[in-house]
Amino acid sequence: MNTSLSWVKAYVPELDVTAQEYTDAMTLSGSKVEGFEKLDADLENIVVGQITKIEKHPDADKLVVCQVNVGSGEDIQIVTGAPNVREGQKVPVVLDGGRVAGGHDGKKTPGGIKIKKGKLRGVPSNGMMCSIEELGSTRDMYPEAPENGIYIFEDDVEVGESAIKALGLDDVVFEYEITSNRVDCFGVLGLAREAAATFGKEFKPPVVAKTGNSEDVNDYIKVTVKDTELCPRYCARVVKNIKIAPSPKWMQRRLAAQGIRPINNIVDITNYVMEEYGQPMHAYDLDTIAGREIVVRRAGKGEKFVTLDGQERTMDDSVLMICDGEKAVGIAGIMGGENSMITDSVQTMLFEAACFDGTNIRLSSKKVGLRTDASGKFEKGLDPNNAMDAINRACQLIEELGAGEVIGGVVDVYGKVKEGRRIPFDDKKVNRLLGTDISKEDMIAYFKKIDLGYDEENDEVIVPSWRQDLECLADMAEEVARFYGYDNIPTSLPSGEATTGKLSFKLRVEKVARDTAEFCGFSQGMSYSFESPKVFDKLLIPQDSDLRQTVVISNPLGEDFSIMRTVSLNGMLTSLATNYNRRNKNVRLYELGNIYLPKQVPVTELPEERMQFTLGMYGDGDFYTMKGVVEEFFDKVGLHGKETYDPKAGKPFLHPGRQANIVYDGKIVGYLGEIHPQVADNYSIKERVYVAVIDMPEIVSMASFDRKYQGIARFPAVSRDISMVLPKNILVGEVEKVFDTKGGQYLESYELFDLYEGAQIKTGFKSVAYSLTFRAKDKTLEEGDYAPAMNKILKSLEEMGIELRK
């Protein structure tokens, strides 16, 4: 969005600031200025001169010698080769020492070109008469300028005055970065309102007077809107006895500063109102409207239409069209049709100001491959209440400029009227949000500056419909902050849990997982959440497994990334395989990543996301190495010694005899084991691979970082060894469970120190030896203190069929 400073000043007359002051203040108040361009930056010492006498150059056929009155009391002599000079003309003259923006070819020179007096073919020349290109502009913006030659002023300019001012080049054009939610600032009036509030000046919008003759517009045109969702409002007025002519200079200058080429009074008025109000408008030749009827409907599938630019475009049934009684005459909100365009022969004109659905306009613009200034504004979602003001303003300009006779009345098809909203106001809460101490009266004064009302009885801020961005108290706090001044808000710390700077409990547990893995020699990896359905076959997962019930990606990059993973092993095994194929001998990797478990298939709601702590390794280490890493992690997060291992895990991707579910407090919290040889072969790994997968949500629910201090033992310990022969199908975990349940209050610890299977032990049995340590905190133990516990342990072991070695 661009605006010229002079146009803003037209509605804020008391505004007197430099370009930099304007830029800084507007940016701080929320209307970010990306930059500005001074139109006269490279122009200096240029005045209006009048040619009083022309003579031929004595030594050059294409040069003439001019005497020019520049208002200094005596004429100056200028030699020129311009073909269009005549005596009596008023022209821009650069005096000695002045500067122009560029050459006659229209290319600007950085810093401008300095003009000095000198001689041309022996004749003194004390200045230069300028073309519009040499003044830094083009014939597109100054259509009255000649194609070749110097610029000629009209007679109403004063000799000796600034030519820069006379041309409207004493202006600054600002470029803004307007966010999409501030649709009110896509017009000059909106930015002028912001400028008035920012600088504390009075905002004076144009007063729109009633227009129209005694006739009734309904006798000229009928409007039917068949899709009120896509077109909530359609306003139409009619103007007859059209007189096509150039628009006035002030309008041309304002449009040119916006980068819009002046064309004629009718087209320029529609563009002018679009820039002023932010409301696009369109004009049709009423004589081309069949049946004097406008119908707003969706296009037919495959319907062809030729737009104003002469291009034939193909529609579908999502594109909204403006039609007459027989045919389409425009693509709603984008561009009119060639069949209803305004020509110099137009007699009666139909003015349209409508509001269209922003999303539909954006999508339609992409489908037909056409984006215009109008569609760029419509797609932001305009205020339908602005349409009537805009069309009345256009008709007022029609009458003021003598461009036609406005027919009385207006056709207004407006279904559900869009109302403003009321927001409950709490000045104390606003101050808490901002960390300020602003009085309620000052806050309300800020609101009034931007045309927000206040209901004192109900303590509510009344928000007009054109401020679509204001929805809650936090938005009102932002309005207070930007006009109070962000630079005036004192520095303060926010309040709440985040003030202490701690990680959340979940993140602390995950940090311990990373620290433990890295301490044990594992490196962190990361793999994709999107996988291929073929993964399940590589992992030997049965066809009827719940793990095959997945979230399917609707627009995947390919089959290899078409589902969301329900098991984390594929990424880990793929990374281990890459390392193995690159001949890395000992590799340990870990990953913290989510799996995605749908609640039902097909998916109707978001899946359950569960963080998995996955460890994988090959090379040095075995099953018990991985088990030790798991137990180290459990110990660090406060799960002390209650984990057990169930060998009946039943994981198809793990070795049948070397796998176990990890059970803590009766809950399965993960699994570990050796990868099934066939799975390892599927991943081209020719070594034993060990993995562990821990379900982090279960761990987080049971973890604790509470620690209790225990002093160094003051009394000696008593050790007793137990050696036993037991069947191989009895796990040492079952033996240790006996120690835990029968060991009594004095059992401090136990340790497996011998395990033997061989020829000296009968087949199907193994020899196991434990060392048990007993200790009391308050005395030295005697045999009678721990002997009952030992007897209970031995008796329970014998009942299990375990043979004790004496």
Side-chain angles (χ1 to χ4, degrees):
M1 178 67 189
N2 293 349
T3 67
S4 64
L5 185 58
S6 63
W7 202 346
V8 172
K9 285 182 176 180
Y11 309 127
V12 192
E14 299 175 0
L15 187 62
D16 184 18
V17 292
T18 66
Q20 192 60 55
E21 288 171 344
Y22 183 90
T23 297
D24 295 341
M26 291 292 283
T27 299
L28 281 174
S29 69
S31 303
K32 184 181 179 184
V33 179
E34 285 287 322
F36 61 84
E37 178 189 4
K38 292 183 177 181
L39 300 183
D40 61 352
D42 297 325
L43 304 177
E44 187 179 331
N45 207 12
I46 305 176
V47 299
V48 176
Q50 185 170 27
I51 302 172
T52 59
K53 186 178 180 181
I54 301 176
E55 297 176 329
K56 290 184 177 181
H57 192 288
D59 294 323
D61 293 337
K62 294 185 179 181
L63 296 179
V64 293
V65 181
C66 300
Q67 304 300 318
V68 183
N69 176 14
V70 293
S72 59
E74 59 180 65
D75 294 354
I76 65 171
Q77 181 170 288
I78 298 176
V79 179
T80 180
N84 63 327
V85 292
R86 302 290 185 271
E87 290 184 0
Q89 289 176 337
K90 295 180 179 179
V91 297
V93 176
V94 189
L95 302 177
D96 179 36
R99 286 188 303 161
V100 293
H104 191 68
D105 57 2
K107 294 181 180 179
K108 289 188 177 183
T109 301
I113 300 172
K114 193 165 186 177
I115 303 301
K116 295 182 180 180
K117 62 183 178 179
K119 290 184 178 181
L120 288 178
R121 300 292 292 269
V123 176
S125 182
N126 298 317
M128 184 179 80
M129 292 179 281
C130 304
S131 67
I132 197 64
E133 289 80 8
E134 288 164 332
L135 295 173
S137 191
T138 65
R139 291 186 65 249
D140 284 340
M141 301 307 171
Y142 290 81
E144 74 278 11
E147 185 173 354
N148 293 301
I150 59 175
Y151 183 85
I152 309 298
F153 285 111
E154 293 182 356
D155 289 337
D156 57 353
V157 297
E158 294 291 330
V159 173
E161 74 169 315
S162 169
I164 298 171
K165 183 176 181 180
L167 286 165
L169 293 173
D170 58 335
D171 206 349
V172 185
V173 176
F174 296 93
E175 180 185 356
Y176 304 83
E177 182 186 323
I178 305 297
T179 54
S180 296
N181 63 337
R182 288 302 306 272
V183 293
D184 57 300
C185 288
F186 282 93
V188 178
L189 281 175
L191 288 168
R193 182 186 292 108
E194 290 290 308
T198 299
F199 292 98
K201 305 297 183 182
E202 185 180 0
F203 173 56
K204 295 183 178 180
V207 178
V208 181
K210 184 178 179 180
T211 56
N213 59 20
S214 59
E215 296 180 86
D216 185 359
V217 68
N218 293 289
D219 296 334
Y220 284 80
I221 192 69
K222 176 185 175 183
V223 176
T224 304
V225 178
K226 292 188 175 180
D227 196 324
T228 55
E229 287 188 7
L230 298 186
C231 179
R233 189 174 198 182
Y234 190 100
C235 300
R237 296 197 71 175
V238 173
V239 181
K240 68 179 184 178
N241 301 327
I242 299 296
K243 299 179 181 66
I244 298 292
S247 55
K249 291 291 187 295
W250 61 267
M251 181 176 285
Q252 291 187 28
R253 302 297 179 256
R254 288 181 181 178
L255 291 175
Q258 302 287 106
I260 298 174
R261 179 171 62 92
I263 297 176
N264 60 49
N265 50 2
I266 300 300
V267 176
D268 290 355
I269 284 172
T270 60
N271 286 331
Y272 185 87
V273 174
M274 179 176 72
E275 294 301 312
E276 186 177 47
Y277 279 78
Q279 168 67 50
M281 301 186 64
H282 191 69
Y284 301 94
D285 185 340
L286 188 60
D287 293 331
T288 66
I289 303 298
R292 295 294 178 97
E293 180 183 13
I294 289 291
V295 179
V296 184
R297 62 163 175 82
R298 291 176 182 261
K301 192 171 183 179
E303 182 176 346
K304 306 288 186 181
F305 182 70
V306 179
T307 48
L308 277 172
D309 57 3
Q311 298 293 315
E312 183 179 76
R313 304 179 189 276
T314 303
M315 311 294 134
D316 64 21
D317 56 6
S318 67
V319 179
L320 192 67
M321 303 296 292
I322 308 297
C323 308
D324 61 16
E326 299 175 353
K327 61 187 180 301
V329 294
I331 306 175
I334 300 176
M335 184 177 279
E338 192 177 50
N339 56 9
S340 61
M341 64 186 295
I342 296 293
T343 64
D344 291 345
S345 61
V346 64
Q347 294 297 314
T348 308
M349 179 184 68
L350 172 67
F351 252 147
E352 166 195 286
C355 185
F356 303 111
D357 179 73
T359 301
N360 178 263
I361 295 299
R362 177 176 58 82
L363 295 175
S364 298
S365 180
K366 291 182 67 176
K367 287 176 182 176
V368 302
L370 180 62
R371 195 169 190 274
T372 60
D373 288 341
S375 67
K377 293 183 185 295
F378 275 123
E379 66 188 27
K380 305 295 188 299
L382 299 183
D383 175 23
N385 293 325
N386 195 38
M388 183 63 74
D389 292 337
I391 200 167
N392 288 337
R393 171 64 166 163
C395 290
Q396 178 189 31
L397 290 171
I398 289 282
E399 288 192 349
E400 288 180 356
L401 303 183
E405 182 182 351
V406 179
I407 302 299
V410 59
V411 177
D412 185 13
V413 180
Y414 195 4
K416 184 179 179 181
V417 177
K418 183 173 182 178
E419 304 288 350
R421 61 174 63 89
R422 288 172 171 259
I423 299 175
F425 185 59
D426 185 343
D427 59 299
K428 296 183 178 61
K429 189 170 182 180
V430 169
N431 276 322
R432 286 197 300 272
L433 281 170
L434 300 179
T436 55
D437 186 21
I438 306 171
S439 69
K440 185 175 184 178
E441 292 72 21
D442 287 344
M443 294 183 187
I444 295 171
Y446 295 146
F447 298 153
K448 289 182 178 179
K449 289 199 299 184
I450 49 176
D451 291 343
L452 305 184
Y454 177 67
D455 182 345
E456 187 173 357
E457 182 178 348
N458 297 310
D459 200 13
E460 293 176 327
V461 178
I462 304 171
V463 180
S465 59
W466 43 266
R467 281 305 300 271
Q468 301 176 21
D469 59 309
L470 301 182
E471 297 180 344
C472 60
L473 186 64
D475 295 326
M476 305 313 304
E478 183 180 6
E479 297 301 293
V480 171
R482 66 193 188 97
F483 290 115
Y484 176 71
Y486 291 111
D487 52 334
N488 294 324
I489 296 176
T491 302
S492 60
L493 288 173
S495 60
E497 293 182 4
T499 305
T500 57
K502 290 182 180 178
L503 292 174
S504 67
F505 185 80
K506 173 179 176 291
L507 293 179
R508 289 173 66 193
V509 174
E510 292 176 9
K511 184 177 185 301
V512 171
R514 281 191 291 270
D515 291 345
T516 302
E518 289 167 10
F519 175 79
C520 295
F522 288 74
S523 298
Q524 185 171 15
M526 185 176 293
S527 55
Y528 291 112
S529 296
F530 297 169
E531 291 185 333
S532 167
K534 298 176 182 177
V535 164
F536 301 119
D537 294 333
K538 293 179 71 175
L539 293 173
L540 308 182
I541 293 175
Q543 292 294 328
D544 59 352
S545 172
D546 290 342
L547 294 177
R548 288 182 180 263
Q549 302 299 311
T550 62
V551 177
V552 179
I553 308 303
S554 60
N555 56 341
L557 296 174
E559 186 183 10
D560 289 345
F561 302 96
S562 61
I563 62 170
M564 300 189 77
R565 65 183 179 184
T566 57
V567 60
S568 62
L569 283 183
N570 176 65
M572 177 59 67
L573 293 176
T574 301
S575 298
L576 291 174
T578 300
N579 279 275
Y580 179 81
N581 292 328
R582 292 178 181 174
R583 300 186 179 182
N584 292 327
K585 293 183 178 180
N586 298 296
V587 176
R588 296 185 178 191
L589 298 175
Y590 79 93
E591 179 187 11
L592 280 164
N594 287 335
I595 58 172
Y596 304 86
L597 305 177
K599 298 172 184 176
Q600 62 183 31
V601 176
V603 174
T604 58
E605 57 182 312
L606 292 176
E608 181 184 8
E609 300 182 31
R610 298 189 72 85
M611 176 71 71
Q612 306 291 289
F613 179 27
T614 307
L615 302 120
M617 70 178 192
Y618 68 81
D620 292 343
D622 55 18
F623 179 94
Y624 296 102
T625 305
M626 185 65 79
K627 179 171 174 284
V629 177
V630 172
E631 292 177 349
E632 176 75 12
F633 168 58
F634 281 19
D635 183 67
K636 293 294 184 183
V637 294
L639 308 184
H640 300 300
K642 293 183 181 179
E643 65 272 10
T644 58
Y645 301 89
D646 179 6
K648 299 176 182 178
K651 304 295 182 186
F653 41 78
L654 296 180
H655 192 293
R658 299 167 189 163
Q659 61 172 284
N661 277 333
I662 306 169
V663 181
Y664 189 89
D665 200 19
K667 293 182 180 179
I668 297 175
V669 298
Y671 57 87
L672 80 161
E674 181 185 329
I675 289 295
H676 194 291
Q678 185 177 339
V679 173
D681 187 61
N682 289 341
Y683 284 89
S684 301
I685 305 176
K686 307 302 181 184
E687 290 215 25
R688 290 187 174 185
V689 180
Y690 299 94
V691 296
V693 178
I694 300 171
D695 189 43
M696 292 299 286
E698 291 287 0
I699 298 300
V700 170
S701 68
M702 296 184 285
S704 172
F705 292 107
D706 293 337
R707 298 289 186 268
K708 293 183 179 180
Y709 170 74
Q710 290 184 341
I712 298 174
R714 296 170 55 195
F715 299 94
V718 176
S719 296
R720 291 292 181 266
D721 294 343
I722 299 178
S723 180
M724 62 196 89
V725 177
L726 63 159
K728 286 186 177 181
N729 63 347
I730 297 179
L731 304 177
V732 292
E734 298 176 53
V735 175
E736 293 177 353
K737 187 174 182 181
V738 171
F739 296 158
D740 289 330
T741 57
K742 305 297 183 181
Q745 62 176 321
Y746 298 125
L747 181 62
E748 183 180 70
S749 63
Y750 49 83
E751 182 180 0
L752 176 68
F753 67 88
D754 184 59
L755 175 63
Y756 176 75
E757 297 180 29
Q760 299 182 22
I761 302 296
K762 55 186 176 181
T763 304
F765 285 77
K766 57 187 174 183
S767 174
V768 175
Y770 274 91
S771 175
L772 282 65
T773 301
F774 296 88
R775 191 194 306 269
K777 295 179 180 180
D778 55 352
K779 64 178 181 178
T780 299
L781 290 178
E782 298 179 357
E783 185 174 356
D785 296 322
Y786 61 83
M790 280 296 299
N791 292 333
K792 290 180 181 180
I793 291 172
L794 297 175
K795 183 179 178 181
S796 295
L797 293 175
E798 288 176 345
E799 290 174 353
M800 293 171 62
I802 295 174
E803 178 184 343
L804 301 175
R805 306 181 72 177
K806 305 298 183 181

